[in-house]
Amino acid sequence: MANLNLTLKVWRQKNPNDRGNIETYEAKDIPQEASFLEMLDIVNERIIADGGEPIVFDHDCREGICGMCSLTINGVPHSKEIGITTCQLHMRKYKDGETIWIEPFRARAFPVVKDLITDRAAFDRIVSAGGYIDVRTGSAPDANSMPIDKALADEAFDAAACIGCGACVAACKNASAMLFVSAKAAHLNKLPQGQPEKTKRTLAMVRQMDVEGFGNCTNQYECEAVCPKEISVDNIAKLNRDYLLASAKDGIA
C-alpha cells in the first residue's frame, strides 16, 4: 500500500493560561498500517529534527484500555469510527491528501494543560467521592459463595467497561459527565457487595459531579455515540432513579 501525505491542523497551547491556536503540519510518507498515535510520533520526530517543539499528547497503553489517548479528530472525540479509542484508529481510514483537524477534549471541567493534553482529574475526584466499597471484606470469598444472576452480572460488567476517557463529556453540548458517573455507580450499585453503600455512593458521586462544574444531561445521546466502550445511556436513567430514591432517604434521615 502506498504511504499517505496528509495535512494536520493541530491545536497548540503552551500552558493553561495561553490562548492557543491552530498550527499546520505536513505529515508525509505515513504508512497506512500505522496507528493515529504512531503517525503523531512520526510527525514529532520530524519536528524535533527541525529544531521545533513536538506536539504534546496523552498516551499510555495504546491498546484501548487506559483511556489516556483522548483527542478530538475532525470534530469528533476519538474520531468518527465507532467503538474505538484514538490509539486504535489506523491511518488506512484516511485518504492521501486529506486534512485532519486535531484538538483536545473541550470542557470547562477538563482544562487544557498543554497542546492536546487536558486535566481530567475531575473524574478521579468523582470516583474518590464514592466509587468504591470501603467495608472490610476479609479474605477473598469462594467464587460461588454469593450467587449473582447472569443478566445482572452482565449489566454490571458492561458498566464497568468504562475507561474514564472523557469522550462522553467532550461530545455533550453541556459537557455532562452523566454517562461516566452512571457507569461508575452502576457496576457497584447493581452487585450485592455494593448495596450497603448504594445511597451514600449515589449522593456523593452526583454531588461531586456538580461541584466539578459538569453540565446537565439533555438526553441527546451524543455520549453513547462516541463512547469507545459503547456504554449504554440506560445507565443514566438508572442513576436518575437511584439519585431520586437516595435523596428521599437522605431527606427523611
Side-chain angles (χ1 to χ4, degrees):
M1 292 187 293
N3 288 349
L4 301 172
N5 293 303
L6 307 162
T7 299
L8 306 183
K9 300 288 187 177
V10 184
W11 181 259
R12 302 303 305 267
Q13 185 172 336
K14 295 178 181 180
N15 54 60
N17 297 320
D18 184 43
R19 288 191 63 181
N21 63 283
I22 292 288
E23 294 188 7
T24 303
Y25 299 90
E26 297 301 321
K28 297 181 179 179
D29 296 320
I30 303 298
Q32 292 191 43
E33 64 270 18
S35 73
F36 198 87
L37 296 189
E38 288 170 342
M39 178 273 293
L40 288 177
D41 289 337
I42 294 170
V43 172
N44 271 342
E45 288 175 359
R46 294 169 182 171
I47 292 174
I48 293 171
D50 292 338
E53 182 75 18
I55 301 165
V56 179
F57 61 94
D58 250 337
H59 64 92
D60 190 1
C61 74
R62 298 200 178 198
E63 294 180 350
I65 298 171
C66 69
M68 296 295 290
C69 59
S70 299
L71 303 180
T72 299
I73 303 169
N74 289 339
V76 183
H78 290 307
S79 87
K80 66 178 182 179
E81 303 299 322
I82 303 299
I84 65 169
T85 55
T86 299
C87 65
Q88 294 174 302
L89 176 65
H90 285 81
M91 299 313 296
R92 59 179 173 267
K93 297 292 184 179
Y94 296 93
K95 297 178 181 179
D96 187 49
E98 193 167 348
T99 296
I100 305 174
W101 294 76
I102 309 171
E103 299 176 76
F105 281 2
R106 300 291 189 182
R108 180 176 295 179
F110 291 165
V112 173
V113 177
K114 185 175 183 179
D115 290 349
L116 304 174
I117 294 181
T118 58
D119 181 357
R120 288 167 286 170
F123 272 8
D124 297 330
R125 291 188 288 271
I126 291 171
V127 172
S128 295
Y132 54 85
I133 295 173
D134 63 9
V135 295
R136 293 180 62 86
T137 58
S139 59
D142 293 333
N144 296 318
S145 64
M146 188 180 294
I148 300 174
D149 181 84
K150 174 71 164 56
L152 189 63
D154 287 345
E155 288 182 14
F157 183 83
D158 289 344
C162 172
I163 58 176
C165 66
C168 51
V169 174
C172 178
K173 66 178 183 180
N174 297 329
S176 172
M178 280 294 285
L179 190 66
F180 167 78
V181 176
S182 66
K184 292 300 180 183
H187 85 268
L188 294 174
N189 287 352
K190 288 177 179 294
L191 298 175
Q193 299 93 327
Q195 290 298 312
E197 297 175 293
K198 181 177 179 179
T199 297
K200 172 186 172 184
R201 174 183 305 111
T202 301
L203 290 174
M205 294 183 74
V206 172
R207 288 169 179 172
Q208 186 63 39
M209 175 182 67
D210 291 339
V211 168
E212 298 295 340
F214 292 103
N216 294 322
C217 174
T218 50
N219 298 312
Q220 294 185 344
Y221 305 157
E222 297 100 328
C223 52
E224 182 182 82
V226 301
C227 177
K229 299 304 176 183
E230 301 181 86
I231 304 296
S232 173
V233 293
D234 289 347
N235 289 301
I236 295 178
K238 293 167 185 172
L239 178 63
N240 284 332
R241 289 196 295 270
D242 288 344
Y243 183 72
L244 285 174
L245 290 171
S247 297
K249 290 178 181 179
D250 186 55
I252 294 173

